[in-house]
């Protein structure tokens, strides 16, 4: 099929101009989820290929989202609903006339359906890696949650649960309950259960039944065997982010119903704002007026999609610029690894090269054996052309011709585009690429090609990489390993365990140890590459002591690679390698190790590296993320190191953290993050993340990561206790004998506007997001994680702490709130836990001039702070903490309204029991008096 772009370069250039004005997030979502005329289009739900085939799953997904659409429409005051939804059916399921996928894939889904191990239960959850009001990564449901109707007793109707999770994902609001802090003392010195709204009622329950709070609470925690059960019938209408399962709950907490005192994540992350306040501030509701009338919208329509054969085409630049900086050699080495190891079996692969015109070097061939892989490697280019022109569109169009050999269409196929040249006419094929249904991953060699080539990837939902001209960088290999099928089947995915590169002097060695952990080991490949001459002397020692030498490796002198594939399953444990540079000059030696899962019974550890946005303007920082998981579950206590390589200059190395401070939103969710602001020059930057986990026992902090719908243990219905089935526990240690290591490319990002030469400090400390305030006798103790001189790195020079009795005042006018003297507070290094104690008595008269000195009425004080650096740059105001004040030191917490109700119920029940007992006793006495006369009458009759 011939591809023509009849619109010409003019419209193409206009399109590029428009796209440059859009945010990266909109670009990514451009072919996916959109909100138009109050309705969401393009919601993508993907079922993991490891989920057993069950068509009822599809039926229940449809019913859930249909119910959710109506519930969401009413909860948002007739503003938004779901118009059409796509469900991605696994290729492993039987084909039933499903539509073909275009650029949809499991790893782009808004909602995923996947199994998780038994000990982690069936909690639906949303993985949120960004702050308040920011979109999350995905919603996760288990097949059991969608198929087991009995779970509705604990979670509520599935449509309600979906809306709870949708608010997490789309609008960046957080849970309003807290399993870690189920109780708190409010401003009236009452013990309260963490909830929103506080109008939701319930009672304390012990093992023997209803009980007062004194018998159920120890230091703000439930005594073993005790809990708090809510009444199944309520008058309160909110909140969906607290307990969507209650029939009366039909809206989000708003300004009038929000419980600011509850120690939940919504209050912490969103600075005491209600969920409805955050939602209405989103662009969705800002641009969606309520729908007129009283009727409901039409039910959503559903499209079922299924991927067919995997089809990939390598589109490789061979123009004269590929001769610079060993570009062709590095391409050959990385492409060989991709064909021999990374691309999954049964994939159809073709190869195209281009300079000023495109050429098909290999038509589609299916990979069914190592011989098929070797044959494809033989078609890789061996030399550059003499043509200086680079025509990327010619290469892309030839790539479409190749992938269309399979079924006449490019839909669902993948192009891997590698180029080093600048093509001023790339706009000519942007529309063609967008409409093709193919996904284009781009690898740009050298700075000149990076910007415009990346547009092809953004428009088609592909990954984009930038590879600097340094042979000491292993970025090309890491990019090719990152490009997987996107099916979500981690058991078939090739995982990179090692990536080591070093310039080695003559007769010197590159020596190190790497780990093959127990979850991997199948299809394990060791790849050694070098720059010039013959191979180095190679010595590889496995954990049992067996030694592999250079002669055991397959040598490709043309590509300067030596590879060794371990038969069967590689031995688990530590492998040691030594490379001796026998060449007479220094050269860069590289070691890459990749492997696959060893068993379907154990999920391997994976890492996904990415950035918040793929472009920024100085001095706006970039946030780097690494999602470290074992199956669906977070891995804690890992050492995660990001390496950022600019176009010019040395690489920057920084450790990513999962501590719930700085760039990291939620502690122990398996997403490690950090601000990056060390911009050397304007241009492209490449990202790689290395993860190491030492042999240890790690316990997950929560059964599932992220924010999730509450499972209710039971209810009080008509004064009767109705308990639900116990929820599965998720606190099981995960042991790994040898630890593990992983490597992942995070693609690339660009930075514009970096000044030439030295420039003044423009990076303030980062916002403090974990401020806590606790009243200890007459004092207030504040604690938070120290920010840095530049965002979350270095050390600040001081803090500005202010307080107010008005939340709105400290929120809108922090500078005029009451200043707390913190001159004696010496800031610690970034990441250190800070503590500061002060007495509110010293500032009470400033806090409220109308407050009498002897007043003992309780009141709430709001506290916030910001940090300052040496250049007097100030951070954003922290999250707002609150503390209740001005009660006598010895006063003890009083019972709450729920406890008073409970005591009344117990008293009434007791009185009724006593009356019943009196009546029974009186009845017995009366009967005894009647028995003698009855016997006398009987005798007379006889």
């Amino acid at each position: 099929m011939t591809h023509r772009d009849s619109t010409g370069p003019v419209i193409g250039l206009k399109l590029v101009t428009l796209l440059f004005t859009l945010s990266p997030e909109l670009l990514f979502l451009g072919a996916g989820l959109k909100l138009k005329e109050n309705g969401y289009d393009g919601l993508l739900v993907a079922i993991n290929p490891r989920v057993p085939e069950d068509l009822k799953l599809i039926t229940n997904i449809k019913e859930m989202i249909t119910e959710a659409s109506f519930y969401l429409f009413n909860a948002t005051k007739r503003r938004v609903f779901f118009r059409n939804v796509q469900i991605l059916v696994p290729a492993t399921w039987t084909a039933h006339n499903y539509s073909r996928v275009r650029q949809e894939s499991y790893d782009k889904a808004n909602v995923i359906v996947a199994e998780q191990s038994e000990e982690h239960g069936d909690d639906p959850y949303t993985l949120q890696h960004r702050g308040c009001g920011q979109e999350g990564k995905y919603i996760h449901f288990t097949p059991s949650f969608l198929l087991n109707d009995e779970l509705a007793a604990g979670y509520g109707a599935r449509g309600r649960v979906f809306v709870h999770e949708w608010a997490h994902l789309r609008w960046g609001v957080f849970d309003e309950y807290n399993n870690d802090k189920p109780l708190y003392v409010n401003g009236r010195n009452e013990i309260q259960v963490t909830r929103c709204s506080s109008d939701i009622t319930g009672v304390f329950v012990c093992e023997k039944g209803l009980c007062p709070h004194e018998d159920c609470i120890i230091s703000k925690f439930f005594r073993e065997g005790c809990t708090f059960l809510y009444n199944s019938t309520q008058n309160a209408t909110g909140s969906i982010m607290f307990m969507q399962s209650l029939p009366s709950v039909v809206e989000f907490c708003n300004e009038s119903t929000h419980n600011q005192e509850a120690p939940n994540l919504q209050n912490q992350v969103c600075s005491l704002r209600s969920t409805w306040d955050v939602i209405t501030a989103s662009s969705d509701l800002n641009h969606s007026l309520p729908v007129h009338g009283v009727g409901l919208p039409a039910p959503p329509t559903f499209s079922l999609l299924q991927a067919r054969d995997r089809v990939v085409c390598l589109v490789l630049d061979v123009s004269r610029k590929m001769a610079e900086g060993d570009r062709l050699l590095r391409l050959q080495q990385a492409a060989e690894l991709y064909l021999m190891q990374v691309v999954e079996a049964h994939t159809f692969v073709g190869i195209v090269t281009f300079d000023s015109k495109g050429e098909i070097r290999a038509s589609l061939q299916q990979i069914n054996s190592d011989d098929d892989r070797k044959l494809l490697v033989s078609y890789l280019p061996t030399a550059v052309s003499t043509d200086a022109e680079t025509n990327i569109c010619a290469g892309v169009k030839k790539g479409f011709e190749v992938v269309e050999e399979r079924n006449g269409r490019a839909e669902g196929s993948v192009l891997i585009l590698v180029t080093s040249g600048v093509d001023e006419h790339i706009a000519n094929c942007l529309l063609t690429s967008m409409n093709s249904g193919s996904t284009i991953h781009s690898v740009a060699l050298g700075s000149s090609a990076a910007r415009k080539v990346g547009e092809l990837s953004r428009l088609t939902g592909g990954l984009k990489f930038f590879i600097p001209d340094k042979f000491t960088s292993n970025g090309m290999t890491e990019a090719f390993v990152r490009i997987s099928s996107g099916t979500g089947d981690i058991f078939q995915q090739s995982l990179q365990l090692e990536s080591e590169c070093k310039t080695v002097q003559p007769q010197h060695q590159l020596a190190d140890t790497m780990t093959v952990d127990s979850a991997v080991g199948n299809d394990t490949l060791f790849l050694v590459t070098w720059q010039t001459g013959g191979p180095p002397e190679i010595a590889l020692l496995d954990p049992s002591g067996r030694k592999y030498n250079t002669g055991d490796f397959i040598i490709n002198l043309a590509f300067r690679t030596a590879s060794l594939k371990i038969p069967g399953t590689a031995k688990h444990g530590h492998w040691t390698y030594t490379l001796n540079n026998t060449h007479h000059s220094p050269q860069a030696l590289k070691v890459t190790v990749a492997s696959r899962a060893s068993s379907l019974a154990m999920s391997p550890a994976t890492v996904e590296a990415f950035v918040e946005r793929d472009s920024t303007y100085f001095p706006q920082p970039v946030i780097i993320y690494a999602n470290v998981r074992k199956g669906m579950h977070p891995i804690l206590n890992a050492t995660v190191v990001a390496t950022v390589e600019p176009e010019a200059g040395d690489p920057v190395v920084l450790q990513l953290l999962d501590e719930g401070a700085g760039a990291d939103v939620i502690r122990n969710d398996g997403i490690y993050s950090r601000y990056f602001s060390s911009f050397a020059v304007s241009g492209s930057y490449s990202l790689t993340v290395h993860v190491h986990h030492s042999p240890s026992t790690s316990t997950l902090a929560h059964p599932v990561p992220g924010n999730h719908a509450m499972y209710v243990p039971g209810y009080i219905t008509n004064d009767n206790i109705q308990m639900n089935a116990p929820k599965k526990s998720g606190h099981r240690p995960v042991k790994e004998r040898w630890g593990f290591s992983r490597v992942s490319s995070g693609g690339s990002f660009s930075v514009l506007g970096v000044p030439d030469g030295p420039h003044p400090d423009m990076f303030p400390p980062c916002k403090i997001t974990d401020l806590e305030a606790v009243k200890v006798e007459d004092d207030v103790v504040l604690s938070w994680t120290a920010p840095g001189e530049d965002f979350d790195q270095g050390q600040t020079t001081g803090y500005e702490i202010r307080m107010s009795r008005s939340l709105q005042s400290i929120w809108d006018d922090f500078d005029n709130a009451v200043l707390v003297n913190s001159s004696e507070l010496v800031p610690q290094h970034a990441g250190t836990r800070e503590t500061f104690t002060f007495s509110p008595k010293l500032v009470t008269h400033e806090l409220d001039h109308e407050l009498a000195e002897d007043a003992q009425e309780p009141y709430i004080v709001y506290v916030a702070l910001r940090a300052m650096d040496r250049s007097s740059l100030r951070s954003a105001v922290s999250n707002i903490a609150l503390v209740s004040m001005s009660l006598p030191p010895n006063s003890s917490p009083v019972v709450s309204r729920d406890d008073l109700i409970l005591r009344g119920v117990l008293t009434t029940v007791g009185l009724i029991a006593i009356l019943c007992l009196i009546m029974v006793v009186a009845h017995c006495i009366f009967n005894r008096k009647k028995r003698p006369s009855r016997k006398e009458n009987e005798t007379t009759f006889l």
Side-chain angles (χ1 to χ4, degrees):
M1 180 184 293
T2 303
H3 290 271
R4 299 183 184 274
D5 193 346
S6 58
T7 56
V10 176
I11 293 180
L13 287 171
K14 289 182 178 178
L15 175 66
V16 174
T17 304
L18 172 63
L19 292 170
F20 273 126
T21 66
L22 297 175
S23 72
E25 285 137 351
L26 288 175
L27 286 171
F28 177 76
L29 294 170
L33 184 65
K34 298 176 183 176
L35 178 63
K36 182 181 178 182
E37 295 178 354
N38 299 91
Y40 289 108
D41 295 326
L43 172 65
L44 179 60
V45 181
I47 302 173
N48 189 280
R50 291 290 165 184
V51 173
E53 183 168 356
D54 189 339
L55 295 182
K56 187 180 178 183
L57 200 57
I58 296 176
T59 300
N60 287 3
I61 290 172
K62 290 180 178 180
E63 291 177 354
M64 174 179 68
I65 298 178
T66 300
E67 179 187 11
S69 183
F70 300 140
Y71 188 55
L72 179 69
F73 184 68
N74 288 324
T76 58
K77 319 299 183 191
R78 305 180 59 82
R79 283 177 171 85
V80 293
F81 58 91
F82 298 111
R83 181 180 287 111
N84 64 68
V85 180
Q86 298 171 309
I87 301 177
L88 181 58
V89 179
T92 52
W93 287 22
T94 307
H96 287 285
N97 242 356
Y98 300 131
S99 300
R100 289 184 60 89
V101 299
R102 290 173 58 83
Q103 289 146 349
E104 302 86 3
S105 63
Y106 181 88
D107 54 6
K108 299 175 189 173
N110 311 109
V111 182
I112 60 175
V113 179
E115 301 276 10
Q116 57 186 13
S117 54
E118 248 181 58
E119 67 271 15
H120 293 104
D122 295 297
D123 274 344
Y125 72 87
T126 302
L127 197 60
Q128 292 180 267
H129 62 291
R130 302 166 71 191
C132 183
Q134 304 292 314
E135 286 191 62
K137 281 190 71 66
Y138 57 75
I139 298 170
H140 172 254
F141 295 109
T142 65
S144 179
F145 172 81
L146 293 169
L147 295 172
N148 185 357
D149 292 337
E150 294 179 1
L151 291 175
Y155 294 107
R158 295 190 187 101
R160 287 170 165 256
V161 173
F162 191 92
V163 172
H164 176 100
E165 300 305 331
W166 180 257
H168 284 314
L169 177 75
R170 184 69 178 181
W171 299 315
V173 295
F174 294 82
D175 286 327
E176 293 173 328
Y177 66 91
N178 190 337
N179 289 330
D180 295 330
K181 295 180 180 179
L183 304 169
Y184 69 99
V185 177
N186 68 8
R188 294 176 298 280
N189 213 30
E190 299 171 337
I191 292 179
Q192 290 281 355
V193 178
T194 302
R195 56 192 161 175
C196 191
S197 76
S198 56
D199 292 333
I200 294 178
T201 60
V203 294
F204 290 98
V205 175
C206 301
E207 292 176 336
K208 297 180 180 179
L210 305 180
C211 59
H213 84 279
E214 294 94 337
D215 298 340
C216 209
I217 299 172
I218 302 177
S219 300
K220 298 183 185 179
F221 286 93
F222 290 119
R223 190 188 298 271
E224 186 175 356
C226 289
T227 187
F228 188 86
L229 295 185
Y230 296 92
N231 298 317
S232 59
T233 301
Q234 302 276 349
N235 294 321
T237 57
S239 167
I240 293 171
M241 301 315 295
F242 171 64
M243 192 181 288
Q244 73 289 328
S245 57
L246 287 172
S248 69
V249 170
V250 292
E251 61 184 12
F252 298 95
C253 262
N254 54 39
E255 185 178 355
S256 63
T257 59
H258 179 57
N259 182 7
Q260 296 175 351
E261 298 179 83
N264 55 39
L265 207 54
Q266 170 66 22
N267 278 332
Q268 177 188 323
V269 179
C270 294
S271 288
L272 310 182
R273 294 169 66 192
S274 71
T275 52
W276 184 240
D277 181 35
V278 176
I279 292 169
T280 53
S282 69
S283 60
D284 283 1
L285 268 69
N286 262 335
H287 298 93
S288 301
L289 296 175
V291 177
H292 295 297
V294 295
L296 293 173
T301 59
F302 294 88
S303 304
L304 301 183
L305 313 176
Q306 188 177 41
R308 309 291 169 84
D309 296 323
R310 292 192 295 270
V311 179
V312 177
C313 184
L314 305 185
V315 181
L316 310 177
D317 187 353
V318 292
S319 66
R320 190 190 306 169
K321 289 187 73 66
M322 288 295 292
E324 300 174 8
D326 284 328
R327 290 174 179 173
L328 180 63
L329 176 60
R330 289 183 289 147
L331 168 60
Q332 292 167 333
Q333 294 171 345
E336 180 188 31
L337 174 65
Y338 178 79
L339 294 173
M340 292 301 300
Q341 169 70 20
V342 177
V343 65
E344 290 94 336
H346 312 304
T347 303
F348 289 87
V349 180
I351 300 175
V352 164
T353 58
F354 67 93
D355 42 29
S356 62
K357 60 185 182 299
E359 177 188 358
I360 299 175
R361 292 184 64 90
S363 297
L364 288 181
Q365 300 189 35
Q366 189 174 31
I367 296 177
N368 294 309
S369 66
D370 278 351
D371 288 338
D372 295 330
R373 295 178 182 274
K374 292 173 184 176
L375 180 61
L376 282 165
V377 169
S378 70
Y379 290 118
L380 290 173
T382 57
V384 298
S385 74
T386 58
D387 196 337
E389 184 182 350
T390 303
N391 188 340
I392 294 173
C393 288
V396 169
K397 290 179 181 179
K398 282 294 179 183
F400 288 147
E401 288 182 28
V402 169
V403 297
E404 287 168 357
E405 293 173 5
R406 182 63 188 158
N407 51 39
R409 291 183 293 181
E411 293 175 348
S413 65
V414 171
L415 302 189
I416 302 177
L417 171 65
V418 183
T419 183
S420 65
V422 177
D423 184 355
E424 298 298 337
H425 304 290
I426 196 172
N428 293 346
C429 56
L430 286 179
L431 288 176
T432 303
S433 300
M434 286 178 63
N435 296 327
S436 68
S438 179
T439 299
I440 302 178
H441 304 299
S442 62
V443 183
L445 307 179
S447 59
S448 58
R451 177 71 174 169
K452 293 185 177 180
V453 173
E455 291 304 313
L456 283 171
S457 296
R458 280 190 284 267
L459 293 174
T460 61
L463 302 171
K464 68 185 187 74
F465 305 89
F466 160 70
I467 312 299
D469 281 328
K470 304 171 187 175
F471 203 89
T472 53
S473 167
N474 212 10
M476 179 81 80
T477 299
E478 291 156 357
F480 270 89
V481 175
R482 172 68 189 273
I483 300 172
S484 66
S485 63
T487 64
D489 191 351
I490 59 174
F491 294 97
Q492 296 299 320
Q493 184 179 338
S494 183
L495 305 172
Q496 189 168 357
L497 312 185
E498 178 80 344
S499 179
E500 182 70 23
C501 182
K502 185 179 179 182
T503 300
V504 181
Q505 299 297 320
Q507 304 307 319
H508 283 67
Q509 298 177 339
L510 168 60
D512 209 341
T513 299
M514 56 80 55
T515 302
V516 176
D517 58 275
S518 56
V520 296
N522 285 356
D523 198 21
T524 302
L525 179 74
F526 287 81
L527 177 69
V528 175
T529 63
W530 62 96
Q531 276 184 282
T532 185
E537 290 181 357
I538 305 172
L540 177 64
L541 203 65
D542 77 7
S544 68
R546 178 179 176 180
K547 188 174 184 180
Y548 299 88
N549 295 311
T550 309
D552 297 309
F553 284 68
I554 297 175
I555 309 297
N556 184 338
L557 289 176
F559 292 176
R560 296 169 196 159
T561 63
S563 59
L564 171 67
K565 182 163 286 191
I566 306 299
T569 301
K571 290 187 179 296
H572 299 137
H574 302 303
W575 292 64
T576 302
Y577 57 85
T578 303
L579 309 182
N580 183 33
N581 181 17
T582 57
H583 200 262
H584 56 77
S585 60
Q587 65 170 326
L589 302 180
K590 302 177 185 178
V591 177
T592 301
V593 183
S595 184
R596 284 184 167 85
S598 59
S599 167
L600 296 179
M602 184 186 305
S603 298
T606 59
V607 55
E608 176 197 7
F610 57 99
V611 293
E612 182 183 28
R613 57 174 65 89
D614 65 359
S615 63
T616 189
Y617 198 89
F618 183 88
Q620 182 72 25
V622 169
I623 301 179
I624 298 173
Y625 298 98
N627 186 11
V628 186
R629 297 223 143 7
K630 190 175 182 66
M632 299 301 301
H633 312 298
I635 294 176
L636 312 185
N637 306 317
T639 301
V640 183
V641 177
T643 302
V644 181
E645 291 194 78
E647 292 181 7
D650 296 327
V652 178
V653 176
L654 71 159
Q655 183 174 352
L656 309 185
L657 303 173
D658 184 18
E659 297 181 348
D664 193 64
V665 177
I666 300 177
R667 180 182 178 88
N668 288 342
D669 64 350
I671 296 186
Y672 297 73
S673 54
R674 203 75 182 270
Y675 287 103
F676 176 76
S677 58
S678 301
F679 305 128
V681 293
S682 294
S684 298
Y685 289 72
S686 177
L687 169 65
T688 302
V689 168
H690 293 250
V691 177
H692 297 278
H693 198 271
S694 301
S696 63
T697 299
S698 296
T699 303
L700 298 185
H702 298 284
V704 293
N707 284 267
H708 49 88
M710 179 195 293
Y711 183 85
V712 181
Y715 294 99
I716 301 296
T717 303
N718 297 325
D719 296 328
N720 294 319
I721 299 174
Q722 293 186 344
M723 299 301 296
N724 295 321
K727 183 181 171 184
K728 296 175 184 177
S729 173
H731 297 263
R732 195 177 81 169
V734 179
K735 297 182 179 179
E736 173 57 62
R737 180 178 176 185
W738 298 284
F740 69 85
S741 60
R742 296 289 186 271
V743 182
S744 174
S745 172
S748 63
F749 60 89
S750 60
V751 183
L752 302 176
V754 179
D756 295 329
H759 51 81
D761 180 14
M762 300 183 69
F763 303 120
C766 66
K767 175 182 175 178
I768 296 164
T769 58
D770 60 348
L771 174 65
E772 294 181 352
V774 179
K775 183 173 180 289
V776 179
E777 295 181 348
D778 290 337
D779 294 333
V780 172
V781 179
L782 303 179
S783 60
W784 66 92
T785 301
E789 168 81 9
D790 296 336
F791 297 106
D792 54 7
Q793 298 176 54
Q795 186 172 339
T796 64
T797 57
Y799 294 104
E800 180 184 1
I801 303 173
R802 293 184 180 271
M803 55 195 296
S804 173
R805 290 189 63 188
S806 166
L807 173 63
Q808 200 65 37
S809 294
I810 200 167
W811 179 270
D812 294 336
D813 194 9
F814 177 81
D815 290 335
N816 289 321
V818 177
L819 181 66
V820 176
N821 185 359
S822 58
S823 58
E824 296 183 1
L825 176 59
V826 179
Q828 304 297 308
H829 195 272
T832 306
R833 196 66 182 169
E834 299 268 30
T835 302
F836 178 68
T837 303
F838 69 96
S839 174
K841 286 184 177 181
L842 300 177
V843 292
T844 296
H845 63 285
E846 298 178 54
L847 203 58
D848 190 346
H849 62 84
E850 296 179 354
L851 186 66
E853 291 184 6
D854 60 347
Q856 297 298 331
E857 285 297 317
Y859 61 95
I860 294 175
V861 171
Y862 301 95
V863 186
L865 77 159
R866 59 186 175 193
M868 296 163 287
D869 66 8
R870 288 174 294 182
S871 303
S872 298
L873 297 177
R874 298 178 176 181
S875 70
V877 176
S878 72
N879 66 293
I880 301 172
L882 61 79
V883 62
S884 60
M885 299 301 304
S886 191
L887 276 177
N890 296 325
S891 65
S892 58
V894 299
V895 295
S896 66
R897 179 186 62 179
D898 293 330
D899 212 39
L900 289 171
I901 294 171
L902 174 58
R903 288 189 174 185
V905 171
L906 293 177
T907 302
T908 303
V909 171
L911 289 173
I912 292 172
I914 291 170
L915 288 173
C916 290
L917 181 61
I918 292 171
M919 293 175 67
V920 170
V921 171
H923 181 70
C924 290
I925 293 172
F926 178 73
N927 283 341
R928 284 182 180 178
K929 289 181 178 181
K930 290 180 65 176
R931 281 176 189 165
S933 61
R934 182 180 299 174
K935 286 183 178 180
E936 290 174 2
N937 291 337
E938 289 175 354
T939 303
T940 305
F941 175 80
L942 289 171

